[in-house]
Amino acid sequence: MKALMLVAALIGAAGIVLLAGMVVGIVPSNTVRLIEGYMPVQVIAELTLFVAGFTGLSYMMAAMGMVFPRFWQGILFWAFILLYLKFRIYPPIPFSVRAMYGTVSLVAIFMWVSANEEDWNKFKQPIMNVLDAKTGGKRLLRYAYLVILPILIGGFSYNSMVPKSEEPIELRTVHPAPPASTKVHGKTYTLQTSQNPYRTNLEGKYDQDYSNAMTVEQGMGRLMKPNANPWDKDAQGYLKYVREGGEIFYQNCHFCHGDNLNGRGLHAFAFNPIPANFTDPGTIAQLQETFIFWRVSKGGIGLPNEGFPWASVMPPWEQHLTVDEIWKVVLFEYWHTGYYPRTWD
Amino acid sequence: MKNLLGLKAGVVLTTAFGIILASGITAGLAFAADAALPAGFKKGDLSPEPSADMIEAGKRVYFTKCVWCHGVDGAGDGPGADRLWPRPRNFNQGTFKIRHTASGELPLFDAKKPVAGQNDLFETVTHGLPGSAMPSWEGILTEEQRLQVLSFVTTQLVKDRKFTDKQSESQTILQLGDLKPIPATEESLKKGAELIVEKKCVECHGADGRGDGNAFNLKDDWGFSIQPANWHKCWNFRGSRQDPYNVKNIFRTFSTGVNGTPMPSFADNTTVEERWHIANFVNSLCEREADGTPLSIDQLTDKPKVNFVLSSGVVLEGGEIPADPEHELWQKRARRIIAMGGQITHKPRNFVNRIDDIWMKSLYNDKHIAFMFQWDDRTKSVAEGKLPWGPTQVNIDVKEQDPKTGEEGSIAFRQNNYTVYNDAVAMETAVKWKDLPAPIKPRYLFGSNEQFPVDIMKWEADGSLRAFKGTGWDKDFEQRDNYEESSKLLFSEWKNGRWTVIIQRPLGNKKDQDYDEDTFFEMGQYIPTVFFAWDGHNGDAGRKMAVSAFYYTFLEPPTPREAYIYPIVIAFGVVLLEGWVLTRRSNKRKGKTTL
């Protein structure tokens, strides 16, 4: 038991040191990378680890005779969470979201310190002590609070009233509802029934199982299957179309969506929001192939209002590519990210 | 037992240390013998050949990720190559830019040693080459995969040279780890400033280091157009290794040169000290905040962080907006970076935008608002003779780069051979933006339609300042009635690779301006704004241009009187609240004690 607690205490201490390093900027916040798509799980796992660590830490300290008051435990843990959200998580999350998480964790900490009458009394004891001011030091502290609190609150309200310019928050629907059908180069495609004509097996039949077996492997690197090289001279059917789609992608799309389809192309830095990251499980992995076909063909200008057509620089690709080229690019995007397109059923 | 083990380990360690020390001494002797080595360099050994397994595994990585630009044979001719500038590297000759090795030598690569400073190619793949299409592969490929793909490239795709051939190859390595940087004192910077003239750096990089010197005729080993680095944008340095303000990167590039380009190594004709002075000076030129701290770099894009609000400062008491950019009011005004990308939505698309940012400042008074545009452009471009189209024409005859042309027709080959048009900038603001329910705006490219038009003001290097109404990306502009008369070009100058242009326009009022055509600027409101830029030497005209995202122009209101009154009232309220809590507590305690 004690050894277990010791290990936990070490983890807790390491966590504090790491976070302190991140706050002062010695340790880069991406030391352990948050992996796209697994970020929430990773964050929760890390925090759980730290909770265990701090439990061990406080146990060890108590065992060594250094009892840490519950009051400060609560406050410091909350501070830890706030700092963690601000300095650990990269890319940074906006203040409004941090404020929300901060509030939730404050409530959680309150529930923890007020779990029973005894705990609650222990927690509020230091506050009462200051209010009662029975010793000289406490009295000094009380006067300090009396002076500092109004100044702080006055300062905050001044700060909030001075005119400031912050970018207005605009909440955009990333995947707006698609239309039932779309007309590209004079032909109408019904989204629910259309299929990618290049997702075919060697007999030329639409075959998603066949293509799924040839897509790149999931996991770090997302490399092609050893025996499914689209650049093989003898590549036929699906794999050949993947290569043709890739050629079109690297002549047209990578400028924004990037060489690794992660939305960080050459021009990405100029745009707001930055271009879609196809390797994120929240984009093409969530969508049907015909949805992508519609989005690619019609571009930003073809979005419904909730998709912010005015801000999207996504070209209506029907102006630049043929229908066949668009289908091949879509095919390539799924191949290169290793995702399977969603089906309608 | 434990102690014995410890002792043994100690002996082994000391022996190992002794061997290292001894070899160091012999190396030192060898070093002394070879007096021809440039200062700061040491002879090194060629790395062993990577294992066949590594090479085979690397092939798989190459044909998943790299082949698309670098091509099947590594000749830098993949499907993406013809629309890229800089063009993807041709590996066949074994010419690599960013190295720790002497000029002309192969870069450092060891498939077993992914160590910073000792493995140039690994670092290039890890951090990418900013300012080109080569991204950072860290976090995408594992360390192992990066070493594998490099094993494949160095053994199979580098064809004219061999990394392990002791007969033909040598490694003379810059000892960057052992050389201590000289602090960037004023004296060091002064020496650096003199040295860049003495060593003729300015001939290519320009008097102010904006890469505008001999910007025109430079070609790389393959005959592709190439341009000198702009020292003011260190985040675009190929060798910046995602650490653009680190002076060591500049020292390294200056010491080893950039193979395959006209940038030579200066190792033979400068001392180490001189090189630090130059590196310090070049580093000091990179754009910084007003207080001298480096700009914060966005880790997602490796470019400066962007704030999308352009706030305009008030000129009080009816003062005039100064026309001189050196005026105190302009100098003190905070600037904002506007990130620019190529217009790649509609034909003709601009795959290479040579203007990638604009620094903006803005001031307003009771009648006017002025915008100062400052951007780096290596060439001042004014079209010769009359342009073949009218100023309001949007749909003009400019061709976009074909996807597959071969080297001779590629974008990298054609740079600097375009017909020269005017350099220009424009800003587009939403008309009647108050009537649009936020966040709806007209479309970023010349407005949506007649219902959601935009107000466009365009300055061109021929000195013209024009006002247009835009009603769609493919609709020619409409000239506006009398707006040009009430607007004014306060200043325009091209100097040493940088344009400075100040445009003044009316704030807008219903008496003098047209509410249906002109944007009315109101204090404290967010006015949707887009910026456009054209580089005449890039053949930019019409829709072939650089564009920004939507920004907001925000006229800073003076601080209201309430901001001084209410906080005091609130603070007083808090004091009362404190008194109430304390009284209550002490009453309760008294009650308790009497009970």
Side-chain angles (χ1 to χ4, degrees):
Chain A
M1 181 67 185
K2 196 154 186 194
L4 198 70
M5 283 298 178
L6 186 67
V7 172
L10 284 177
I11 292 173
I16 291 172
V17 171
L18 271 181
L19 189 70
M22 283 173 191
V23 171
V24 292
I26 308 170
V27 182
S29 55
N30 52 6
T31 312
V32 180
R33 272 180 184 260
L34 291 172
I35 301 157
E36 275 155 357
Y38 302 98
M39 195 167 125
V41 185
Q42 221 177 333
V43 166
I44 289 170
E46 272 182 28
L47 280 177
T48 316
L49 193 70
F50 285 137
V51 169
F54 294 149
T55 313
L57 203 60
S58 85
Y59 177 88
M60 288 310 289
M61 283 173 74
M64 285 189 287
M66 292 187 286
V67 178
F68 205 52
R70 181 57 57 89
F71 178 71
W72 291 112
Q73 280 181 359
I75 286 182
L76 287 179
F77 185 55
W78 191 51
F80 180 86
I81 291 178
L82 293 186
L83 290 173
Y84 177 89
L85 290 172
K86 181 155 167 65
F87 291 98
R88 164 68 179 107
I89 296 183
Y90 195 88
I93 42 179
F95 175 76
S96 53
V97 179
R98 280 210 316 272
M100 216 161 68
Y101 289 153
T103 317
V104 172
S105 48
L106 185 66
V107 170
I109 287 168
F110 255 107
M111 280 161 69
W112 166 52
V113 295
S114 61
N116 56 49
E117 188 71 30
E118 191 193 346
D119 274 359
W120 177 237
N121 281 334
K122 251 200 247 168
F123 176 76
K124 66 181 185 181
Q125 198 53 48
I127 305 177
M128 291 307 163
N129 287 347
V130 173
L131 281 181
D132 295 346
K134 280 191 186 137
T135 63
K138 288 277 184 314
R139 193 165 297 148
L140 203 66
L141 202 59
R142 188 169 77 173
Y143 287 130
Y145 275 126
L146 281 180
V147 178
I148 291 168
L149 270 184
I151 293 178
L152 266 184
I153 292 174
F156 279 134
S157 53
Y158 171 77
N159 212 18
S160 67
M161 289 180 79
V162 165
K164 266 196 289 296
S165 54
E166 271 188 38
E167 193 185 335
I169 294 169
E170 292 169 357
L171 297 172
R172 160 177 166 271
T173 307
V174 184
H175 306 309
S181 67
T182 183
K183 197 172 172 185
V184 183
H185 286 296
K187 204 179 153 209
T188 303
Y189 296 84
T190 307
L191 264 52
Q192 292 245 21
T193 55
S194 294
Q195 287 174 331
N196 190 335
Y198 296 102
R199 194 175 285 287
T200 52
N201 56 24
L202 288 175
E203 281 104 61
K205 282 225 179 72
Y206 183 87
D207 189 343
Q208 199 169 327
D209 292 332
Y210 174 81
S211 64
N212 286 352
M214 307 262 258
T215 193
V216 307
E217 283 172 1
Q218 277 296 340
M220 268 310 271
R222 297 179 204 242
L223 301 182
M224 61 173 139
K225 296 251 166 66
N227 294 318
N229 182 355
W231 286 88
D232 199 318
K233 281 192 203 75
D234 307 324
Q236 283 304 314
Y238 169 74
L239 277 182
K240 186 170 142 256
Y241 302 135
V242 162
R243 189 185 73 223
E244 287 166 4
E247 288 176 1
I248 296 155
F249 184 91
Y250 285 94
Q251 284 157 1
N252 295 281
C253 318
H254 83 92
F255 294 97
C256 292
H257 294 289
D259 294 316
N260 201 47
L261 285 68
N262 58 358
R264 298 187 202 155
L266 269 173
H267 301 309
F269 117 106
F271 301 130
N272 179 26
I274 68 168
N277 173 0
F278 301 143
T279 60
D280 184 296
T283 59
I284 61 170
Q286 296 291 319
L287 299 163
Q288 296 85 2
E289 222 169 355
T290 48
F291 183 100
I292 314 289
F293 176 77
W294 163 66
R295 285 288 280 114
V296 172
S297 306
K298 298 299 172 185
I301 202 167
L303 281 167
N305 253 1
E306 69 266 26
F308 288 22
W310 51 87
S312 171
V313 298
M314 172 81 166
W317 285 100
E318 56 181 346
Q319 289 179 8
H320 307 283
L321 302 175
T322 64
V323 169
D324 288 341
E325 287 172 328
I326 294 174
W327 280 122
K328 282 177 186 168
V329 165
V330 177
L331 196 73
F332 169 77
E333 285 168 4
Y334 280 103
W335 175 82
H336 195 276
T337 53
Y339 291 128
Y340 307 150
R342 261 176 75 176
T343 49
W344 285 99
D345 37 67
Chain B
M1 185 66 200
K2 227 181 184 179
N3 274 339
L4 202 68
L5 260 181
L7 200 67
K8 255 189 184 167
V11 170
V12 171
L13 261 178
T14 342
T15 332
F17 190 63
I19 290 169
I20 291 168
L21 208 67
S23 64
I25 290 165
T26 38
L29 286 175
F31 177 67
D34 195 352
L37 286 186
F41 285 77
K42 261 186 201 169
K43 274 270 172 250
D45 291 326
L46 296 181
S47 303
E49 171 125 350
S51 69
D53 286 353
M54 290 285 279
I55 296 170
E56 191 52 34
K59 185 176 176 187
R60 188 173 158 214
V61 181
Y62 186 85
F63 279 94
T64 315
K65 308 284 183 188
C66 320
V67 64
W68 308 102
C69 289
H70 292 286
V72 180
D73 286 320
D77 59 352
D82 293 342
R83 277 179 173 170
L84 283 176
W85 188 56
R87 201 175 153 87
R89 180 90 325 193
N90 180 344
F91 299 132
N92 297 165
Q93 294 76 20
T95 306
F96 294 94
K97 283 183 171 176
I98 311 300
R99 294 160 294 103
H100 279 80
T101 54
S103 184
E105 288 186 343
L106 288 170
L108 299 177
F109 172 66
D110 187 335
K112 292 207 178 98
K113 208 160 60 175
V115 182
Q118 299 176 33
N119 201 331
D120 295 324
L121 292 182
F122 177 76
E123 282 187 90
T124 294
V125 172
T126 301
H127 299 297
L129 296 169
S132 81
M134 175 76 176
S136 150
W137 292 95
E138 192 180 22
I140 294 167
L141 295 174
T142 63
E143 206 170 86
E144 183 73 11
Q145 287 165 341
R146 279 173 264 157
L147 292 170
Q148 286 166 350
V149 74
L150 284 167
S151 302
F152 176 71
V153 168
T154 52
T155 57
Q156 308 297 307
L157 299 181
V158 173
K159 297 184 175 174
D160 301 351
R161 300 173 75 167
K162 202 161 160 36
F163 273 69
T164 47
D165 185 354
K166 287 205 172 101
Q167 300 298 314
S168 59
E169 302 300 341
S170 60
Q171 301 261 265
T172 316
I173 305 162
L174 179 68
Q175 303 296 306
L176 197 50
D178 300 340
L179 301 172
K180 209 170 156 274
I182 292 174
T185 55
E186 248 172 65
E187 201 197 333
S188 169
L189 296 181
K190 198 167 146 268
K191 281 185 187 158
E194 286 162 6
L195 279 164
I196 60 147
V197 179
E198 192 190 315
K199 302 291 173 194
K200 303 209 167 85
C201 306
V202 290
E203 279 187 11
C204 288
H205 291 280
D208 285 350
R210 295 187 194 274
D212 60 311
N214 184 10
F216 249 80
N217 311 312
L218 297 179
K219 296 247 159 47
D220 66 11
D221 281 5
W222 297 270
F224 298 116
S225 188
I226 195 167
Q227 56 188 354
N230 178 347
W231 293 341
H232 295 255
K233 299 184 185 184
C234 52
W235 52 87
N236 280 346
F237 289 172
R238 301 292 181 276
S240 58
R241 302 298 193 217
Q242 295 181 304
D243 189 9
Y245 289 91
N246 188 340
V247 70
K248 286 190 163 190
N249 290 322
I250 302 167
F251 182 93
R252 184 208 55 232
T253 300
F254 187 73
S255 298
T256 62
V258 182
N259 280 0
T261 76
M263 171 77 184
S265 154
F266 285 82
D268 288 324
N269 60 1
T270 49
T271 64
V272 168
E273 194 192 319
E274 283 176 326
R275 277 180 250 158
W276 282 123
H277 293 318
I278 289 175
N280 280 338
F281 178 71
V282 170
N283 188 32
S284 77
L285 291 183
C286 192
E287 299 285 357
R288 281 172 166 76
E289 302 287 357
D291 63 2
T293 52
L295 302 177
S296 41
I297 299 289
D298 190 332
Q299 288 180 355
L300 285 179
T301 57
D302 294 319
K303 306 266 184 185
K305 275 191 185 146
V306 176
N307 182 317
F308 289 95
V309 179
L310 168 65
S311 56
S312 182
V314 64
V315 180
L316 288 170
E317 279 121 30
E320 288 287 307
I321 297 173
D324 177 11
E326 301 298 321
H327 190 281
E328 195 193 357
L329 282 172
W330 281 119
Q331 288 291 318
K332 276 192 180 161
R333 188 72 214 141
R335 58 179 192 165
R336 276 282 151 80
I337 192 169
I338 309 291
M340 305 296 286
Q343 191 287 112
I344 40 169
T345 307
H346 301 289
K347 280 188 167 73
R349 287 172 287 168
N350 186 12
F351 301 106
V352 170
N353 60 307
R354 303 223 295 195
I355 301 168
D356 61 355
D357 55 46
I358 301 177
W359 288 97
M360 292 293 304
K361 290 181 180 182
S362 177
L363 286 172
Y364 74 97
N365 61 15
D366 52 346
K367 287 195 188 67
H368 295 104
I369 179 164
F371 294 89
M372 182 188 332
F373 297 71
Q374 284 190 302
W375 72 98
D376 291 0
D377 182 341
R378 289 177 169 83
T379 48
K380 176 179 180 173
S381 330
V382 183
E384 280 178 39
K386 205 172 167 291
L387 289 170
W389 47 76
T392 54
Q393 257 179 288
V394 169
N395 299 301
I396 58 173
D397 187 25
V398 174
K399 283 266 173 305
E400 71 175 29
Q401 174 71 30
D402 286 329
K404 198 81 194 148
T405 57
E407 289 188 1
E408 298 278 307
S410 70
I411 251 183
F413 203 85
R414 293 175 59 200
Q415 283 299 315
N416 295 331
N417 292 318
Y418 294 106
T419 313
V420 176
Y421 303 124
N422 289 330
D423 284 339
V425 282
M427 61 183 292
E428 166 190 290
T429 43
V431 174
K432 297 182 278 188
W433 50 270
K434 264 199 135 168
D435 299 352
L436 305 173
I440 291 178
K441 298 160 195 151
R443 216 173 114 72
Y444 81 98
L445 196 57
F446 304 156
S448 308
N449 45 37
E450 281 292 344
Q451 194 194 349
F452 298 122
V454 288
D455 161 320
I456 297 168
M457 285 214 79
K458 184 177 182 184
W459 166 90
E460 291 190 54
D462 60 8
S464 63
L465 180 64
R466 293 195 176 88
F468 306 110
K469 178 181 170 187
T471 54
W473 68 270
D474 56 346
K475 303 277 193 316
D476 286 336
F477 294 154
E478 293 166 36
Q479 196 104 29
R480 300 218 304 268
D481 310 332
N482 58 351
Y483 204 74
E484 284 158 23
E485 285 76 57
S486 47
S487 306
K488 204 166 148 194
L489 177 67
L490 293 185
F491 185 87
S492 72
E493 182 190 50
W494 184 89
K495 198 179 158 202
N496 293 338
R498 166 165 274 203
W499 273 107
T500 302
V501 172
I502 307 180
I503 292 167
Q504 176 180 284
R505 53 185 292 173
L507 277 181
N509 66 64
K510 291 219 165 155
K511 195 165 106 305
D512 302 313
Q513 277 84 36
D514 183 349
Y515 185 67
D516 292 326
E517 285 190 342
D518 307 331
T519 301
F520 286 16
F521 291 85
E522 277 183 41
M523 206 160 62
Q525 302 290 324
Y526 294 88
I527 298 147
T529 311
V530 182
F531 301 92
F532 305 117
W534 291 261
D535 176 0
H537 270 85
N538 195 31
D540 288 2
R543 278 188 300 267
K544 190 182 178 209
M545 60 179 180
V547 298
S548 78
F550 260 112
Y551 285 70
Y552 290 101
T553 302
F554 179 84
L555 278 58
E556 286 173 8
T559 309
R561 196 172 299 153
E562 291 85 12
Y564 300 109
I565 300 171
Y566 285 134
I568 296 173
V569 174
I570 290 169
F572 188 68
V574 174
V575 172
L576 288 182
L577 198 72
E578 283 174 343
W580 179 72
V581 169
L582 280 179
T583 331
R584 229 181 96 100
R585 174 70 188 162
S586 70
N587 281 350
K588 198 174 171 190
R589 227 153 43 92
K590 269 183 208 154
K592 258 186 191 163
T593 41
T594 49
L595 262 174

